[in-house]
Amino acid sequence: MTHPESPESTPIIVVGAGVIGLTVAFELARRRIPVLVLERDHVGAGAAGVAAGMLAVVGEAEHETAELADLLVTSQRAYPAFVRELQHASGRDVGFVTEGTLIVGLGRDGEQELRHSQRAQDRLGLRSSWLTGDEARALEPHLGPRISAALLAREDHQVDPRALLPALAAATEALGGRVLTGTRVTGFDTTAGRLTAVVGVHQGDDRPFAIRCEAAVLAAGAWCAVGLAWPAAPVLVRPVKGQVVRLRGPAILRRVVRDTQVYLVPRRNGELVVGATMEDVGFDAAPTAGAVTDLLWQARLLAPAVYDLEIVEVGVGFRPAARDHLPTIGPTDVPGLYVATGHFRHGILLAPTTAVLLADLLVDDRMSPLLDRFRPGRFEAASRTAPSVDSR
Ligand SMILES: Cc1cc2nc3c(=O)[nH]c(=O)nc-3n(C[C@H](O)[C@H](O)[C@H](O)COP(=O)(O)OP(=O)(O)OC[C@H]3O[C@@H](n4cnc5c(N)ncnc54)[C@H](O)[C@@H]3O)c2cc1C
């Protein structure tokens, strides 16, 4: 997948081989548009390599606004066809599990939370079925005795991001695109205000490169605002640290199980992913004892058998978050330069729809109304229209 030499020119460059960059590249390659992905590290080096891979629309309804719900539902519906086409193009399995998700409640407080969550789902037009604790245990016999009720979200599936990303890279290359790893982008050249080239260095020997292009998409996740000479209005995105614990042992769950504190995601390869923290601490990549203690304690309340599983890994990732926690997708004020980031807790879920909408823009100059509220310039526009405050 790594090519030592970069080309002199290519029509479209995507910066970042995370889930967003690679899905955009796959979509362009499917449309027979030559595309080159530049990745400073390796495929899936960012948040996507740590993510749980839940396609959680119903399960996270209470955290989401109606603004995002349309995009989430559209992407969730697109997933089965996306997975089919990707598996066909790459010849790889991406661990798409369609058993749904159980959102569980412990005791009276837990049941109240489930009722609250179901009301939030109703407001967004989403559905789940109410189960008693015993009905939930009939589906998942390892659920703990304190679980007194649950919601079954039949459409909230999961995919394995560690299988998804290599499949996206393989499919992109099989369709004629290229994925260049070990190439760090440091800036963008413009002439008369229009994008003309992407510049950077090869990791390791710091050899510089400049690749002429007609368009480029910045999809560098939480790093979109770091270490780049950026000719357009700033991309306002920050990292939100998330820690997960990966366990291994006898399979104790068939589907995703979660409550408001923790989620347990069983993988077909025998792993159980327990996540995740949400920490506003910048790019601090240290795994912490506190996070592991809390996650495992909470996981044990949902499924006591977690206690005997082996700890394989503590993973740390950085979710890209904008100020309003909505994605930033679309053209910048520099013609030819586009952004796709800020997917925060839903990048795996939102990747297929982001890619289709962005490819429509890049190839056909067609801007979907779905993208209006996610425009890169929305913060500037808001600050221009906000009433000024007299500080005297
Ligand atoms: C603990 C955790 C759990 C999560 N669980 C879920 C989940 O269950 N479901 C879900 O939908 N989402 C989940 N997410 C969110 C999801 O992982 C992110 O929204 C998504 O990965 C963002 O994708 P991205 O491509 O924008 O960024 P990333 O995946 O971070 O990829 C960015 C890429 O850009 C590269 N890069 C950066 N700078 C440069 C540069 N200058 N030059 C070249 N390359 C560069 C990086 O190396 C990286 O490979 C989770 C995230 C975390 C941290």
Side-chain angles (χ1 to χ4, degrees):
M1 212 161 296
T2 307
H3 304 274
E5 291 308 325
S6 43
E8 284 182 2
S9 72
T10 189
I12 300 185
I13 293 178
V14 175
V15 180
V19 71
I20 299 300
L22 286 173
T23 312
V24 169
F26 170 55
E27 181 60 28
L28 290 169
R30 283 182 59 218
R31 298 183 192 200
R32 303 288 163 202
I33 307 295
V35 60
L36 171 67
V37 182
L38 300 177
E39 163 60 45
R40 63 170 180 197
D41 204 329
H42 58 85
V43 166
V50 178
M54 294 176 296
L55 310 175
V57 178
V58 174
E60 303 216 350
E62 62 196 294
H63 303 293
E64 305 311 346
T65 55
E67 291 171 306
L68 192 57
D70 283 353
L71 203 65
L72 293 170
V73 171
T74 307
S75 219
Q76 189 186 50
R77 292 196 179 133
Y79 237 88
F82 166 67
V83 165
R84 231 179 1 258
E85 283 163 27
L86 175 58
Q87 292 190 155
H88 177 72
S90 65
R92 294 169 182 233
D93 183 272
V94 300
F96 186 47
V97 178
T98 55
E99 300 278 346
T101 293
L102 267 181
I103 309 152
V104 300
L106 287 92
R108 243 195 6 221
D109 287 353
E111 284 181 39
Q112 287 294 348
E113 278 168 6
L114 291 183
R115 300 246 176 246
H116 174 74
S117 165
Q118 214 171 22
R119 279 195 294 275
Q121 293 162 23
D122 283 345
R123 277 197 297 279
L124 297 174
L126 304 169
R127 292 280 167 270
S128 61
S129 320
W130 185 273
L131 305 181
T132 63
D134 287 341
E135 285 168 339
R137 271 181 293 276
L139 289 179
E140 294 289 353
H142 279 282
L143 289 186
R146 290 180 54 196
I147 289 172
S148 51
L151 297 175
L152 176 61
R154 288 192 172 77
E155 308 301 321
D156 277 12
H157 301 317
Q158 61 138 318
V159 69
D160 181 352
R162 290 187 175 178
L164 183 75
L165 268 73
L168 282 165
T172 300
E173 297 213 312
L175 294 170
R178 287 182 68 185
V179 180
L180 220 57
T181 55
T183 46
R184 181 163 58 88
V185 171
T186 55
F188 301 84
D189 283 349
T190 57
T191 303
R194 192 180 205 298
L195 177 78
T196 51
V198 173
V199 301
V201 293
H202 292 271
Q203 297 286 69
D205 57 9
D206 273 357
R207 255 178 317 127
F209 65 81
I211 308 172
R212 291 193 309 282
C213 60
E214 289 156 26
V217 180
L218 179 64
W223 296 270
C224 281
V226 183
L228 286 173
W230 179 247
V235 180
L236 299 173
V237 74
R238 71 179 198 287
V240 175
K241 178 178 177 179
Q243 302 191 51
V244 298
V245 184
R246 282 170 199 272
L247 305 172
R248 189 169 46 209
I252 59 169
L253 297 174
R254 285 179 56 195
R255 52 179 64 72
V256 176
V257 172
R258 59 187 298 169
D259 69 356
T260 49
Q261 307 295 318
V262 71
Y263 52 72
L264 282 69
V265 181
R267 293 265 192 263
R268 284 211 204 110
N269 66 5
E271 270 184 15
L272 185 71
V273 182
V274 179
T277 64
M278 295 265 284
E279 302 166 67
D280 243 317
V281 293
F283 286 104
D284 168 7
T288 62
V292 175
T293 310
D294 287 354
L295 289 171
L296 294 182
W297 172 256
Q298 286 152 358
R300 200 181 163 197
L301 292 177
L302 303 198
V306 159
Y307 194 76
D308 293 318
L309 301 182
E310 176 192 348
I311 296 182
V312 185
E313 181 188 325
V314 181
V316 176
F318 300 103
R319 307 172 183 91
R323 204 188 299 154
D324 55 8
H325 291 164
L326 295 177
T328 298
I329 309 167
T332 67
D333 48 340
V334 170
L337 191 52
Y338 298 77
V339 178
T341 187
H343 292 78
F344 192 37
R345 297 159 60 103
H346 293 300
I348 308 292
L349 169 57
L350 289 173
T353 300
T354 300
V356 167
L357 297 177
L358 204 56
D360 287 348
L361 247 176
L362 283 156
V363 180
D364 301 327
D365 203 18
R366 192 150 41 93
M367 177 88 175
S368 162
L370 266 180
L371 287 182
D372 275 349
R373 48 195 87 140
F374 309 121
R375 285 174 180 271
R378 66 184 181 276
F379 299 110
E380 278 207 316
S383 66
R384 273 200 300 273
T385 53
S388 60
V389 177
D390 191 343
S391 57
R392 282 171 295 173

